[in-house]
Structure formats: C-alpha cells, structure tokens
Amino acid sequence: MHLITSAVFVLIVLSYPNVQAATQDVKCGAHRFERTADGLVSIWPWHVALYNKSMDYIAGGSIINEWFVLTAAHATFRDGRTPLQPDELAIVSGCRDLRFFGDDAQQHEVAEIIRYPLYNVRTRMNDVALLKVKSIIRFNFHVAPICLWPDAGPTLESIAQRQDQGIVVGWGLSVNGTFSHLLRETSLSLIGFESCAEHTKSFQPLLAKGRNYCAGNRGGASVCKGDSGGGMFFLIDRTWHIRGIVNQGTPTQDTRYLCDPKKDVLFMDVTYYRKWIERHADPERHNLLGLKQCGMGHYDETNVRHNKFVHSERHPWVAHLYYSYRNEINVSDCHAVLIHPEFVLAPARCVYHKPDRKLLHVILGEELIGPNPLSSDYNFQTVRVSEVFMDGRFDFEKYGYDVSILHLAKQVKIGNNTRPVCLPSLYEHSPYFNLAAWYRRDSHPKALKSTLMRSIRFNFCSTQYKKQLINITEHDRLNCFQHCDISDIVQSDGTHSCEYSEEKHCKIPISGAPLFYTKHDGINTYTYLFGMRSFGSADCVAQMSEVYSDVVGMGPWIKRMVEKHTRTSAVGRLG
C-alpha cells in the first residue's frame, strides 16, 4: 500500500511522565535530516525494504534491534497463501531511493521468519511477524532501530483526544499505479472504532479493540499496496516509538486508483503483541535473566473477560524454606521464588544467621505445606543450598535491601509443578498485583492462597510507619501496597482497576510472601516477580500498608550474581 500524496507535517512532542524506552543498549527512535541535492530530506533509519528472491520489492518493515525486523505476517506469504521460506526474502536497510543502493545501504539475508502463531491468512488478523537476519545490522546515521511502545506510554484514546498524528513511510504504489522509488511519508490521524466501522464497512468484522486500530486522512494522503509491514510512529518525549503495523487499506472502485484515500487504514496494535515480540527478539527485555520459558501460563481471553483480570491459576515458581529450630522442631517458615534452575530468591532476613535456626532445604513444587518433605510419596523436590548471597547494603537492624539469592546445590528438574518465574528488566505498569502466600494461622496442610494488592505512594506509606517509629526511605529498595478488590469500571486499555478494600485483612503470611503481576501476548500469560513481603502490621489494621522488597530495583545486582555464579547455561535449554 502507498502514500497517495506527499504531505508536510509538523513534529509534535507528546509529553508523558515516567516513560522509558524499550531499547536501552542503542539509541532508538532518533529521526534525522540530511541535506541532499533535492534539499533537506528526512531519514527514517529504522525503515527497511523487503525483497523476494528475484529482488522484487515486496513491503516495508521496521528494525527493532541489530538482529530483528518487525513487519506484517502477510508480507511473508506468496500470493497471500503460500508461506515464503527465509532464503526467499532479503532485507535492505539504510536506503531512501530504491533505484540504487548507496554506500550506506546494507543487504541482509533472512535466517528465520517468526510469524505470530494465531495469524489468520484469510482475514489478516494478528498480522505480525519477525524477521531474524543472518548477519548483524550495523547501526549508523542511516540505520538505527525504532523504539517499541513503552509499557507506561500513552493510550490510543489519550492520543486521539489530543488530536496528535502519527507518521507512516513507505515505497508503495503512487497515484499512477507504480511503486515509488523514493521513500515517502505522511501523517495520519487516529479514527475511533465506531467511526471506522461506519465509514469503512469492510473493516467491521475485523475490528478488535486492543489488537488493531484505524487511522486515516479521509481525502488526504493514505497508504496503498507496498506500504504493508511498515510502521506508524509517534513522538514521545522527542523519541519515535512504533505503535502500529500497516495491515490493510481499502480498494477503490475508481479504476484510476488501486487504493481509496478517502477510506481508513487498518493497523495492527504493536502493544498487544509486545510480550511476544520481546520473548523472541529481546529475551533479556522479556526476562532479566534471558530465559524464554519463564512464568508461562495459558491465556484464555474468555476467562479473562469473565474474571476481569489476568492472573496465573497456579504458581509453580513459589517455593518455601524448611528449617530446624534448636534441633527440636522442623518447620517451613519463609517463602522463596525460583528464578532460574539453579537459583531462588528469598528475603535476606530469612537466611540471615541466627544461632537457633538452621536452613535445611528449599522445597519446590508443593502447593500444600504439611507433608514431610523427605517423604517420597509427594511430587515435589527438596534441594540443599550451596551458597547464599546478600547485598552488602543489607542491615538486619534496618529494613532495606531485603533480598537474598540462594544458589542451589543442584539444578532443579523443570516440569509442570516446578518452573522459574520471570524477572522484569524494568518497571512495568500493572493496575493490580497478585500476592501468593501460605498463612501462619491456617491449619495444616496450609494451602497457597492468592489475594490482590495495589501499589500506593511511598510517601503515604513511610508516614504511616514513621508513626510506628519505623523509618524507611525510597533508597531502601522498598515498595508499598494495600489490599484491593477488582472494580467493575473498565479502563481505556481494557483492564479493570483495583480499588482499595475496606475489609480488614487480619491474616499474616509466613515471611517473604511473593508479589506478582501478569502480562500476556494473546497466546500465553507471563508472570513476573515484583517483590517479596518485607514487613507489615502485626495487628488487624484496615488501612495499614504492607512493605515489599523492590526486586526490579535490585535486578542489576541479581543478574550480575546469577551470571557470575551459575554452573551451566540454562538459557538455551529453557528457550
């Protein structure tokens, strides 16, 4: 598809707080200008051209890192039906004029085509694919990646309300029915679903909130055949981010044109597929330790709509620590979480040396506490600890840096009831968190129970505890939470908010109860460890906050220690 007319546009900077770029190793989303014989021209360094085996131009795509290009799945099919093989595709980057490739152009063979598994050839739903190149893409002035849409970035609704426009570029068909040799660009406005369905009736059965969206000019510049696979980009704090992938336009009945500029264009919404993209193209962004198969569960959209929130039904990553007290009694008295086949996380207080307490085992794969862990009648694993690592800033007399890494004496066996959780590589937005815990006063066998929590302002929380003569600061790697209940109100992104619960929560979990949040990619859910309970009120107080260790903030230290001390690489085995 192509831009029918060239367009002059004004760069508008969207200012949204606390937004982090998805690509951290390289500067992504940097738009440039270059002076040529034709004057000052735009350089969109992430936009690439896709060619077939005969070096005929097919479609566009967007570089997201040095190994991967994001494009439309239908661009990887011959005649829309037959899947192309990797050796039938080639990628050209750093090129503005397709008539000749200058010194800045790079040609890459494709090593792998990764299509979104639920792509529908007939309807073009879930029209997303990744192309992995055989040789690394070298970044320079003319070749650079686009930023993926940030987790805390603006919603489509907020962009539409501000009437901000996105940019689309491509080499697609022009008004005379021929492909443009020069890369052209235009700005498009977001179109609401109701208006889009009414104005472009062919899109009615395809519109799915969250997965795609409409944009257009209705009479101005638009896209046409050949622009497929290219991105729609928006500026966020002076950096370009990709929000959409060109899916399809509307044919015209006017024989002079192939595409109707008065009709809207359908884009796949990249944010819906972000976790799938990260898992395949950026494993360490998907999970801090690079494990592809972490925290996974089955995503059931019908079940999610019924329950109003995304969560994990089971917690095969939750473990507990088994102690001997005074050599008289053995008891499970602290939570732990499996993050790697060789490592679990636990509060530092749970492994800090005490004369009357000895850690015997880490017990994994058990959701009921009570049976003797040394018995062979139960399907769980008991593993001894070979090393314990604590951050040097942890002080037992204070409250910060309450995280320890336990190096297991042997790798655990990964199975249905024992699997590692994901560790976030940066802070992600979640309207609610899931606390999974065993509770002290529950009778044996204790069942692992879940409850919802929401984050609250740290200043509010620290003021509460200051009145209890407990001083905590934002430098202590701690976060604060309160119990909450899911609201019936649907937010703009389709999720439900979690409102403060007026009920008194009198049950106290055993130490270190883990706090999770869950994301999905339309196929799987991915559960992430956000923190572990450091302390809370021992009394039944309705409005008292609970304090959790900041696992995300301590992530760099965790990653460094795991990489330094791991005995074997589990990344490839779990990937």
Side-chain angles (χ1 to χ4, degrees):
M1 300 190 234
H2 186 71
L3 320 170
I4 301 300
T5 61
S6 60
V8 177
F9 61 92
V10 178
L11 301 187
I12 303 173
V13 178
L14 310 185
S15 180
Y16 298 89
N18 301 323
V19 172
Q20 300 181 15
T23 305
Q24 299 178 7
D25 296 334
V26 190
K27 174 61 177 175
C28 61
H31 173 238
R32 291 139 185 177
F33 293 93
E34 184 175 48
R35 190 169 297 281
T36 68
D38 300 324
L40 198 63
V41 298
S42 293
I43 302 296
W44 303 97
W46 49 81
H47 192 74
V48 302
L50 272 61
Y51 285 85
N52 62 19
K53 203 170 186 178
S54 303
M55 286 306 288
D56 297 319
Y57 173 76
I58 299 175
S62 301
I63 299 170
I64 58 172
N65 60 38
E66 57 269 277
W67 290 105
F68 283 92
V69 167
L70 182 63
T71 188
H74 78 260
T76 67
F77 283 75
R78 184 186 300 108
D79 301 324
R81 297 182 299 274
T82 306
L84 293 171
Q85 299 303 310
D87 61 1
E88 296 181 278
L89 284 175
I91 293 169
V92 177
S93 62
C95 181
R96 179 173 169 268
D97 190 337
L98 297 185
R99 289 172 297 185
F100 59 91
F101 301 154
D103 295 338
D104 300 312
Q106 300 177 38
Q107 297 185 50
H108 294 274
E109 296 179 346
V110 175
E112 184 179 8
I113 302 172
I114 308 172
R115 302 175 182 91
Y116 187 74
L118 300 182
Y119 171 62
N120 188 310
V121 174
R122 183 178 59 83
T123 65
R124 290 191 179 179
M125 278 298 295
N126 302 307
D127 189 16
V128 180
L130 288 164
L131 306 178
K132 185 177 182 180
V133 296
K134 286 187 176 181
S135 57
I136 193 168
I137 300 172
R138 302 183 305 277
F139 296 146
N140 52 45
F141 183 83
H142 293 89
V143 180
I146 183 67
C147 298
L148 292 179
W149 201 263
D151 184 75
T155 63
L156 292 175
E157 288 78 7
S158 65
I159 295 174
Q161 288 173 2
R162 294 170 60 119
Q163 297 183 340
D164 294 317
Q165 293 184 312
I167 305 303
V168 182
V169 300
W171 290 285
L173 291 177
S174 59
V175 291
N176 60 10
T178 61
F179 286 112
S180 171
H181 296 298
L182 291 175
L183 185 66
R184 303 174 75 184
E185 60 203 37
T186 192
S187 54
L188 300 179
S189 300
L190 297 177
I191 308 294
F193 267 22
E194 291 185 5
S195 177
C196 179
E198 177 64 27
H199 191 262
T200 311
K201 297 188 183 301
S202 61
F203 288 169
Q204 284 184 2
L206 304 178
L207 298 177
K209 188 172 184 179
R211 300 192 186 208
N212 54 24
Y213 66 87
C214 294
N217 275 333
R218 296 187 175 176
S222 187
V223 304
C224 197
K225 183 178 180 181
D227 289 318
S228 292
M232 185 174 184
F233 319 112
F234 292 86
L235 269 179
I236 302 176
D237 292 335
R238 301 188 182 277
T239 300
W240 290 96
H241 294 74
I242 185 169
R243 181 66 194 230
I245 299 172
V246 177
N247 172 238
Q248 54 188 297
T250 306
T252 178
Q253 295 179 352
D254 188 334
T255 56
R256 293 175 300 171
Y257 309 109
L258 276 177
C259 304
D260 192 343
K262 296 180 181 180
K263 297 295 185 180
D264 302 326
V265 180
L266 198 60
F267 292 82
M268 302 313 301
D269 192 341
V270 171
T271 59
Y272 185 88
Y273 306 93
R274 187 167 62 87
K275 283 298 172 186
W276 178 82
I277 294 169
E278 289 175 0
R279 184 183 174 215
H280 291 282
D282 194 355
E284 290 191 11
R285 171 66 177 82
H286 175 70
N287 172 36
L288 183 70
L289 301 181
L291 302 179
K292 285 186 178 181
Q293 294 188 18
C294 63
M296 289 179 64
H298 174 65
Y299 177 70
D300 185 337
E301 189 169 10
T302 303
N303 187 52
V304 169
R305 283 200 302 265
H306 176 72
N307 289 306
K308 303 177 186 174
F309 64 98
V310 181
H311 68 293
S312 176
E313 296 287 351
R314 298 180 63 251
H315 300 280
W317 32 82
V318 176
H320 57 96
L321 306 186
Y322 196 65
Y323 300 92
S324 171
Y325 279 92
R326 301 187 183 91
N327 292 321
E328 297 176 0
I329 184 172
N330 294 348
V331 64
S332 295
D333 200 34
C334 190
H335 293 84
V337 180
L338 185 69
I339 62 168
H340 182 283
E342 293 182 24
F343 297 91
V344 298
L345 290 188
R349 296 177 184 280
C350 289
V351 294
Y352 188 82
H353 176 69
K354 288 185 177 182
D356 61 346
R357 181 182 72 180
K358 180 183 178 182
L359 176 60
L360 299 177
H361 304 280
V362 176
I363 302 178
L364 306 104
E366 183 180 51
E367 296 221 359
L368 291 174
I369 289 182
N372 181 356
L374 300 183
S375 169
S376 60
D377 297 334
Y378 298 95
N379 186 27
F380 54 80
Q381 302 177 58
T382 62
V383 185
R384 293 188 180 275
V385 175
S386 60
E387 295 177 284
V388 174
F389 308 106
M390 289 183 282
D391 190 291
R393 291 164 289 186
F394 171 72
D395 185 339
F396 188 78
E397 301 299 326
K398 298 181 181 179
Y399 298 95
Y401 302 95
D402 190 14
V403 174
S404 67
I405 305 171
L406 279 59
H407 196 181
L408 303 177
K410 63 179 182 179
Q411 282 197 4
V412 300
K413 297 177 181 178
I414 303 300
N416 290 333
N417 65 330
T418 303
R419 299 199 301 271
V421 75
C422 295
L423 288 183
S425 58
L426 49 77
Y427 294 99
E428 295 183 301
H429 168 72
S430 181
Y432 43 78
F433 296 80
N434 187 14
L435 176 67
W438 292 287
Y439 288 87
R440 292 192 181 281
R441 296 177 184 175
D442 284 359
S443 58
H444 286 282
K446 298 178 186 290
L448 188 66
K449 298 178 179 179
S450 296
T451 187
L452 295 180
M453 308 285 286
R454 69 169 188 174
S455 62
I456 62 170
R457 289 183 297 106
F458 189 85
N459 289 342
F460 174 79
C461 171
S462 60
T463 300
Q464 283 186 320
Y465 280 101
K466 193 170 185 179
K467 295 176 182 177
Q468 308 291 325
L469 302 181
I470 296 175
N471 293 315
I472 55 176
T473 73
E474 294 179 345
H475 303 292
D476 290 329
R477 293 285 189 256
L478 299 170
N479 291 309
C480 298
F481 292 83
Q482 285 181 334
H483 291 270
C484 65
D485 296 316
I486 288 292
S487 167
D488 289 329
I489 300 174
V490 181
Q491 301 181 108
S492 60
D493 61 357
T495 62
H496 291 252
S497 61
C498 199
E499 302 300 329
Y500 169 68
S501 174
E502 297 290 344
E503 294 184 15
K504 292 184 178 181
H505 292 268
C506 303
K507 288 188 174 183
I508 307 300
I510 66 174
S511 300
L515 193 67
F516 305 103
Y517 68 91
T518 302
K519 298 289 186 178
H520 77 87
D521 61 9
I523 304 170
N524 300 303
T525 58
Y526 303 97
T527 297
Y528 289 82
L529 176 65
F530 191 81
M532 304 188 78
R533 192 176 188 270
S534 186
F535 63 91
S537 174
D539 301 319
C540 190
V541 180
Q543 296 184 347
M544 202 65 184
S545 308
E546 296 186 5
V547 182
Y548 290 76
S549 57
D550 181 3
V551 169
V552 186
M554 298 194 68
W557 172 75
I558 295 170
K559 180 180 181 181
R560 187 168 61 251
M561 297 304 290
V562 168
E563 289 179 345
K564 180 179 179 180
H565 296 280
T566 185
R567 289 184 286 267
T568 57
S569 174
V571 176
R573 186 170 63 83
L574 292 180

